[in-house]
Amino acid sequence: MQENSLEQRVRLGRLFDVYGGLLTEKQQKCMELYFCDDLSLAEIADELEVSRQAIHDLIKRVEHTLERYESKLALLARNDNDKKLLVQANRLLAECLAQNQGPAKLQQVRRILDELSGESR
């Protein structure tokens, strides 16, 4: 269960990086204290002069909001896919250069780069 909660926290942090600017000022402040300053819920509650339960509820609401943004906009998924494609293109180029392979691998790399640049989107 610990790993799952760590994965959830990492995902929430990544979603906050992508969509944090769409949150209210209070939500942003709370999330910055939670992620950037690594404060506990009780410490955030003291800082913002509210109850620990209020902070817990706020973080849960923000988590749902960020997931809703991602389900509609898919920016995080697109970013992950783009990174995967860049790694693939880099690998193909390295193979091509190492083995003096030409046009076929370079065409694969070109298709990947076209996809990343939006030519095929």
Side-chain angles (χ1 to χ4, degrees), residues 3 32 37 45 71 83 88 100 115 120:
E3 185 177 326
E32 286 169 7
D37 297 343
S71 73
K83 284 181 182 178
Q88 184 181 3
N100 289 327
E115 184 175 341
S120 65

Short mmCIF file of all heavy atoms in Angstrom, two decimals, residues 3 32 37 45 71 83 88 100 115 120:
data_model
loop_
_atom_site.label_atom_id
_atom_site.label_comp_id
_atom_site.label_asym_id
_atom_site.label_seq_id
_atom_site.Cartn_x
_atom_site.Cartn_y
_atom_site.Cartn_z
N GLU A 3 3.71 1.79 -1.51
CA GLU A 3 4.17 2.11 -2.87
C GLU A 3 3.06 2.79 -3.65
O GLU A 3 3.29 3.73 -4.38
CB GLU A 3 4.63 0.84 -3.59
CG GLU A 3 5.23 1.12 -4.94
CD GLU A 3 5.74 -0.13 -5.62
OE1 GLU A 3 6.21 -1.03 -4.92
OE2 GLU A 3 5.65 -0.20 -6.86
N GLU A 32 1.70 23.88 -2.86
CA GLU A 32 3.12 24.24 -2.80
C GLU A 32 3.71 23.86 -1.43
O GLU A 32 4.82 23.34 -1.35
CB GLU A 32 3.31 25.72 -3.08
CG GLU A 32 3.14 26.08 -4.53
CD GLU A 32 3.08 27.58 -4.79
OE1 GLU A 32 3.30 28.38 -3.85
OE2 GLU A 32 2.79 27.94 -5.94
N ASP A 37 7.50 22.37 -0.08
CA ASP A 37 8.06 22.52 1.26
C ASP A 37 7.97 21.22 2.07
O ASP A 37 8.50 21.14 3.17
CB ASP A 37 7.34 23.64 2.01
CG ASP A 37 7.56 25.00 1.34
OD1 ASP A 37 8.48 25.12 0.52
OD2 ASP A 37 6.79 25.94 1.64
N ALA A 45 -1.95 23.13 7.96
CA ALA A 45 -3.12 23.67 8.67
C ALA A 45 -2.71 24.82 9.58
O ALA A 45 -3.39 25.86 9.63
CB ALA A 45 -3.80 22.56 9.48
N SER A 71 -8.14 14.15 -17.51
CA SER A 71 -9.03 13.30 -18.32
C SER A 71 -9.56 14.05 -19.54
O SER A 71 -9.82 13.45 -20.57
CB SER A 71 -10.19 12.76 -17.47
OG SER A 71 -11.11 13.77 -17.17
N LYS A 83 7.84 11.74 -24.51
CA LYS A 83 9.13 11.31 -23.96
C LYS A 83 9.49 9.92 -24.45
O LYS A 83 10.64 9.64 -24.80
CB LYS A 83 9.10 11.33 -22.43
CG LYS A 83 9.19 12.71 -21.85
CD LYS A 83 9.19 12.68 -20.34
CE LYS A 83 9.22 14.08 -19.77
NZ LYS A 83 9.16 14.07 -18.31
N GLN A 88 12.72 6.50 -28.14
CA GLN A 88 12.72 5.57 -29.27
C GLN A 88 13.50 6.15 -30.46
O GLN A 88 14.31 5.46 -31.07
CB GLN A 88 11.29 5.25 -29.67
CG GLN A 88 11.17 4.22 -30.77
CD GLN A 88 9.71 3.96 -31.14
OE1 GLN A 88 8.80 4.58 -30.62
NE2 GLN A 88 9.51 3.05 -32.06
N ASN A 100 25.86 1.79 -39.25
CA ASN A 100 25.83 2.36 -40.59
C ASN A 100 24.59 1.95 -41.38
O ASN A 100 24.66 1.65 -42.56
CB ASN A 100 27.10 1.99 -41.38
CG ASN A 100 28.31 2.71 -40.86
OD1 ASN A 100 28.22 3.85 -40.40
ND2 ASN A 100 29.45 2.06 -40.91
N GLU A 115 5.54 12.93 -35.73
CA GLU A 115 4.46 12.78 -34.75
C GLU A 115 4.66 13.75 -33.58
O GLU A 115 3.72 14.40 -33.13
CB GLU A 115 4.41 11.34 -34.23
CG GLU A 115 3.27 11.11 -33.28
CD GLU A 115 3.11 9.66 -32.85
OE1 GLU A 115 3.64 8.76 -33.52
OE2 GLU A 115 2.43 9.46 -31.83
N SER A 120 1.63 14.76 -37.77
CA SER A 120 0.65 13.67 -37.97
C SER A 120 -0.47 13.72 -36.95
O SER A 120 -1.24 12.80 -36.85
CB SER A 120 1.38 12.32 -37.88
OG SER A 120 1.90 12.13 -36.58
#
